[in-house]
Every structure is written in structure tokens, then in C-alpha cells.
Amino acid sequence: MSKSNEFEQAVEENTVVEEQLNEQEENVVDADTVEAEEATPELTVEEQHQAEIAALEQKLGESESRFLRLRADFDNLKRRTQTERIAQEKYRAQNLLTDLLPVLDNFERALQVEATTEDAESMKTGIEMVYRSLIEATTKEGLEPVASEGEAFDPNIHHAVMQEQDDSKEQGIVLQELQKGYKLKDRILRPAMVKVNE
């Protein structure tokens, strides 16, 4: 026998052995599959329906929970927006009134000057009329002066810049208002600058 024939015969034997090994492996895999199928019995139709119902109920619960969270978020946003809108409406004139406070101060200073001539007196009368009109307009918008003189010192509405001893009055009483304070409805625009009794 030639060497090439021996080689071909050896290759054929090898192929046959490989095929036999593959068949044995397939048989082992099939046996494992059969055993696994026998170990887990098939669900009945009713059990399958029960499992589907349980899965659907779980999904429904999750959807309801998500819906309730979204609804709560929406309600909170709606309430917050409404509160902001009410506050914006209530304090809409705040910036304008804050800018007008120095104008009111200047009018009050001008009115404190004594008029010595007839012309000065008529000018003072005109200033008083303009001042009253301005006060009326700002009062309509909700601007009010802060009560100070004779009141107990309140750091929320008063700004103490001086202290003085006056035995005739209680301690912590405002003796003098140095600059008027103003509030818009319930919000302080500017605290009153005051002198307080020690």
C-alpha cells in the first residue's frame, strides 16, 4: 500500500470517528432537553390566563401610579402659577412706587420750607396740590406710610439710626421719624428711619 493510500484511509477513518462523536453529543443534548421539559411541566390554559391577568394588573397599577404622579405635578404647577399670578397682580405697581419714594421725600422737604413772599406762598400752594394728587394716586395703588413716632420699635418696619435717652418715655419707643417708611399692602417697600429711646 502506498503512502498516499494510507493517508487517505486514515483521513476517512478520522471523518467517520468525528461523525460518530457528533452524533453522540447530539443525543446527549436531546436527552438533556427532554429531561428539562419533563422537569418543568407545561402550564394549563387557565394558569396561563391567570399569569397574563397578573401581568396586566401589574402594568395597570404602574400606569395608574404614573398617572397620579403626573396629575399631582400638574395640580402643583397650576396652584403655583395661580399664586404667582395673584402676587404679580397684587404687587404690580411695586417697582414704580419704589421709584416714586424719593419724589415724595423731595415734595415733603419742599413743603417744610417757609414761604416769606407772596410768590413763594403761591408756589408752595401749587406744590401742595401736586403732592396731594400724587399721594392720592399712590394710595389707590396700595401705598401706605409706616407708623413710627410714638410706636414701639419694630425691626421689621423700622430702621434705627440713632438712640437717645428720654426718661419720660418707655424704652424702645420711637422718639422721632427721620425718614418716612412705606409699605405696599402687606409688603415693606422701605423701612422708616427712626431715632429710638434707649
Side-chain angles (χ1 to χ4, degrees):
M1 210 193 249
S2 69
K3 286 199 178 213
S4 65
N5 285 342
E6 284 177 13
F7 178 74
E8 287 175 7
Q9 189 177 0
V11 168
E12 283 178 21
E13 287 174 5
N14 248 353
T15 305
V16 169
V17 169
E18 280 181 9
E19 287 176 359
Q20 288 174 348
L21 284 172
N22 285 340
E23 284 178 18
Q24 286 176 354
E25 285 178 1
E26 285 176 8
N27 289 339
V28 169
V29 169
D30 288 343
D32 287 345
T33 305
V34 169
E35 284 176 13
E37 287 176 357
E38 288 173 2
T40 57
E42 286 188 24
L43 296 174
T44 64
V45 175
E46 188 177 327
E47 289 172 334
Q48 287 175 352
H49 288 317
Q50 291 296 331
E52 287 175 10
I53 290 171
L56 290 173
E57 283 176 345
Q58 183 180 358
K59 280 184 181 179
L60 178 64
E62 290 170 1
S63 296
E64 284 179 348
S65 175
R66 192 167 41 248
F67 169 75
L68 290 173
R69 279 196 303 271
L70 285 171
R71 176 145 187 185
D73 287 346
F74 176 73
D75 287 344
N76 288 338
L77 176 66
K78 187 175 167 187
R79 192 170 26 256
R80 189 168 50 247
T81 305
Q82 187 175 6
T83 304
E84 287 171 1
R85 188 176 48 76
I86 290 170
Q88 189 175 16
E89 178 64 27
K90 187 175 182 182
Y91 302 112
R92 73 184 185 282
Q94 179 174 345
N95 291 337
L96 174 64
L97 292 174
T98 303
D99 291 341
L100 284 176
L101 295 183
V103 176
L104 293 175
D105 294 338
N106 289 333
F107 269 111
E108 287 168 6
R109 284 189 203 103
L111 292 173
Q112 288 173 357
V113 175
E114 282 192 37
T116 54
T117 65
E118 204 172 300
D119 289 342
E121 188 63 44
S122 63
M123 186 178 286
K124 188 174 180 180
T125 304
I127 290 172
E128 280 177 358
M129 291 170 60
V130 174
Y131 177 68
R132 275 198 302 272
S133 299
L134 188 58
I135 289 293
E136 281 177 30
T138 56
T139 303
K140 280 181 190 172
E141 288 299 320
L143 186 72
E144 301 172 34
V146 172
S148 296
E149 210 163 307
E151 299 287 322
F153 175 76
D154 181 354
N156 296 314
I157 60 173
H158 299 131
H159 176 61
V161 291
M162 293 175 69
Q163 284 188 328
E164 195 175 278
Q165 183 71 39
D166 186 348
D167 295 331
S168 66
K169 295 188 179 170
E170 291 181 32
Q171 183 180 1
I173 294 294
V174 174
L175 297 174
Q176 184 183 356
E177 181 180 70
L178 305 172
Q179 184 184 48
K180 262 190 184 175
Y182 290 95
K183 63 181 180 176
L184 174 60
K185 297 178 176 150
D186 55 355
R187 186 179 286 181
I188 297 295
L189 293 185
R190 182 177 77 186
M193 218 179 272
V194 295
K195 183 196 294 184
V196 183
N197 192 24
E198 288 185 280

